[in-house]
Amino acid sequence: MTTRLRILDDGAWLSVDDTRQVSVSELWRLDAPGFCGCDLSDLVVENFLEVGIDGRTVEVRVYGQCIACGTKATTGWVPVGRVVDGAFEDIDRESVLRPRSPKSGQHSPDSGSTGQG
Amino acid sequence: MPTDVENWKSEVYGNEIREHLFRFAEEGYDAIPDDERDAWFERFKWWGLYHQRNGQEGYFMMRIGTPNGVLEPGQLRVVGEIANEYATGPGTNPIFGDAYADFTTRQSIQLHWIELSDVPAIFEKLEANGLSTQQACGDSWRNIVGNPVAGKDGQEVVDAWSVIRELNETFKGDDDHSNLPRKWKVSVTGSADGSGQGDINDLAFEPAYKEIDGEDVVGFNVRVGGGLARNEPRFARDIDVWVRPENVPAVAGGLSALFRDNGDREDRYNARIKFLVDEWGAEQVRETLQEEYVDFELHTAGRDVREEYTYNTGEGERNDLVGVHEQRDGKYFVGLNVLVGRMGAADVLDLADLADEYGSGEVRLSQRQNVIVTDVPEADLDDFLAEPLFERYSPEPSPFMRGSVACTGTEFCSLSIVETKNRQVRFARWLKENVDLPDDVEEFHIHLSGCTASCAQPQIADVSLRGMKTRKNGEAVEALDVGLGGGLGEEPQFARWVTQRVPADEVPGAIANLIDSFAAERDDGESFRAFVDRHEDAELDAFVEPEETDYEDPMLHNTKMTWYPYAGEDGMDAAPPTPADD
Ligand code: HEM
Ligand code: SF4
Ligand SMILES: [Zn+2]
């Protein structure tokens, strides 16, 4: 079964199988030394840029701002959920998330980024 | 590779969406196949229906496009009746109640909690009364804006209303222009006040004179590629074209076709024509238009009247159209302040009655979310102004009430990061009670948008507020970025974002401190915009000074994660079921 992964509403939501699952404005603690100078970035998610799937793990690249230091940048691939038996399950995004750098990614991003307005 | 949206549009788009919409209305919301929802919700927009956000499954926002904001006699009553009958849902707004209409920054009307099953009946009633939702959203010609008192305004240089009507009739429902790469926003202004806000539209026609065979002819200059969204605001660029009023449809259609054929359909972020103008430059836009899209010789730009612009400029007279103004025919139009553009259905009906009783029944909407009653004879003005309804919709409001504009926000909008309309009402009330502007400052515009889409046009206000998040005492709270000194006019200017992530409860204190510094340090008679202009970002950031006050913000928590921010039980698990078909 294929999973429909899309970015909707001008980058405001990740939609999985026609249901909005993850939204902008979440605050993520990122262990991502390349993102900013902080030990742990405290990231406000402002825009979803790309979504992809690596095995069962749904990953996104987002644009956002570290509210501890003010850096605005784009992340590597951040895991946000898993597809288990065809259904999306959240990864606990209140705990520390570890992105993969964009270059190390194997999978091709879903091209279906959509906007509205 | 084309985007999903482009693929959906190539399957079904434009007028033909209507039959599907009616089929789903007949068969029920659940008849929309699970794996086609994203596609159908995208398409429904073309007919003015926007699915509301998570937790409000099965409810829609409906936008009615009223060209130039003109509501002909009787039409406001129809809007009020529809709002009353259909725009209610499981959530009650603590300030505005149960049924209301929103007047928008593009002179349209939005209703909420609309159920699919009611759409055919609503369309029938709208259309029987000359109103429509066609192309109110989606990738096509949106509602055409302009000076709302076009055709009546003493300051009018050229008649824009007849031009707007013709454009509307030509391009609404025209299959050649119904599937553009992205939205297409057009402004046609005929008056010298700049109230059509052409600079922030994809395509703007502005009054200008051209000497032809020794004679001064009045027509329009053309600008292309304005817009505020996505952290990439642009003012429309001068493409050095002047056009006679009768040639406006040919040039507008040429430019819309140029956009249709050349806009980016592979990346929606890059699709608006503002990015094509960035890439090509104004000259190439002009050349392409001339060579491929019009069959007559274009004139070069004429002499414009931009130095006379006052609307939303931050200084001088007529920054808005609130208050009593004389029309060309000696009657009066009265601009009424509608705080954040929202009016209860009962008040809409009362206003429709008053417009009938005192005026011609006609009402118009401005781009500052206000309403204007036209055609009031001088002899009736005093009685009209004494009507009790205008205690709430005042023609002489406090500057903080008058200057407030706010978008939809987390109440209904899936993009929003923060609560907006009710918050702006609370801000305005608090500022009115607690803050004094210098005596000679009569207007102060504060615009609040829930996200970077910028529907409240924050970048062209004295104080721009935009939804953000931050932590306060370790907790995630709703916050606002603060920008200063934006405005339109001869030399338009976007606000500069000087202070970031102010927790929402500290924003009124921040504005109070800012106004104190302005009052203390301004030059004699200096406008706020000019004051901002001569200071560095860091100095301005210091003036802003966020502070807790006795202002309390009941919506500081994450309203995006509620099904409805004002519900007693607001958690997603308390969300109402999709409405039953009835
Ligand atoms: C991807 C989604 C959206 C984008 C990018 C977007 C963007 C915009 C922009 C840029 C404007 C006009 C500002 C200007 O003058 O340039 C606007 C207008 C507006 N938008 Fe949105 N918007 C979106 C979704 C929504 C939604 C979901 C709602 C409400 C439920 C909404 C409500 C409004 C209102 C009230 C206006 C002014 C009215 C009008 O167009 O007639 N918007 N939008
Ligand atoms: S500015 Fe953002 S939050 Fe406000 S209505 Fe527009 S899209 Fe929604
Ligand atoms: Zn940081």
Side-chain angles (χ1 to χ4, degrees), chain B residues 26-40:
Chain B
E26 175 75 22
E27 294 173 6
Y29 178 79
D30 290 336
I32 305 173
D34 283 348
D35 59 355
E36 295 178 16
R37 284 181 179 208
D38 287 350
W40 285 112

Side-chain angles (χ1 to χ4, degrees), chain A residues 9-113:
Chain A
D9 302 334
D10 248 23
W13 283 89
L14 167 62
S15 162
V16 183
D17 290 337
D18 288 69
T19 305
R20 287 176 173 77
Q21 294 287 2
V22 188
S23 86
V24 290
S25 96
E26 288 192 351
L27 282 173
W28 294 348
R29 304 254 188 213
L30 282 194
D31 180 5
F35 186 85
C36 63
C38 302
D39 286 345
L40 266 191
S41 313
D42 203 355
L43 177 82
V44 187
V45 180
E46 294 190 64
N47 243 298
F48 292 94
L49 302 177
E50 288 182 282
V51 55
I53 189 155
D54 183 32
R56 297 185 315 173
T57 307
V58 177
E59 302 181 318
V60 293
R61 295 187 65 217
V62 305
Y63 173 84
Q65 185 173 26
C66 172
I67 61 174
C69 70
T71 300
K72 294 187 177 191
T74 298
T75 64
W77 291 98
V78 182
V80 292
R82 280 190 197 85
V83 177
V84 180
D85 299 331
F88 179 84
E89 285 180 6
D90 281 304
I91 281 177
D92 175 12
R93 297 186 297 275
E94 308 259 305
S95 32
V96 174
L97 298 171
R98 277 182 199 81
R100 291 188 297 125
S101 87
K103 286 171 203 80
S104 71
Q106 306 292 314
H107 60 73
S108 55
D110 181 271
S111 64
S113 131

Side-chain angles (χ1 to χ4, degrees), chain B residues 152 325-333 376-379 381:
Chain B
K152 315 221 150 162
H325 304 260
E326 191 170 355
Q327 294 177 184
R328 210 163 42 201
D329 63 2
K331 291 183 180 164
Y332 286 78
F333 72 83
V376 181
E378 186 169 10
L381 264 180

Side-chain angles (χ1 to χ4, degrees), chain B residues 60-83:
Chain B
F60 291 81
M61 177 273 273
M62 176 182 278
R63 189 180 287 163
I64 303 163
T66 39
N68 202 46
V70 175
L71 284 148
E72 276 153 14
Q75 289 183 339
L76 186 67
R77 176 165 302 110
V78 170
V79 169
E81 285 170 2
I82 291 175

Side-chain angles (χ1 to χ4, degrees), chain B residues 381-416:
Chain B
L381 264 180
D382 287 343
D383 288 347
F384 178 67
L385 294 171
E387 289 288 344
L389 186 68
F390 304 144
E391 285 162 24
R392 274 174 295 140
Y393 306 100
S394 172
E396 274 186 299
S398 136
F400 295 116
M401 300 286 179
R402 178 172 190 158
S404 288
V405 171
C407 76
T408 304
T410 47
E411 186 177 11
F412 300 115
C413 173
S414 60
L415 278 77
S416 192

Side-chain angles (χ1 to χ4, degrees), chain B residues 448-527:
Chain B
L448 169 57
S449 256
C451 78
T452 58
S454 303
C455 304
Q457 306 173 347
Q459 300 94 329
I460 54 164
D462 293 309
V463 174
S464 330
L465 304 173
R466 192 171 66 192
M468 240 296 160
K469 285 295 263 302
T470 195
R471 285 189 205 274
K472 180 164 171 158
N473 310 322
E475 296 283 308
V477 295
E478 298 197 354
L480 299 169
D481 284 344
V482 180
L484 302 177
L488 296 177
E490 187 180 11
E491 296 294 338
Q493 166 84 46
F494 294 124
R496 288 143 61 195
W497 297 101
V498 301
T499 306
Q500 312 232 323
R501 301 185 307 279
V502 179
D505 61 333
E506 299 177 27
V507 168
I511 295 173
N513 291 333
L514 170 68
I515 290 173
D516 279 351
S517 295
F518 166 58
E521 310 219 359
R522 70 198 278 250
D523 295 337
D524 240 9
E526 189 177 38
S527 72

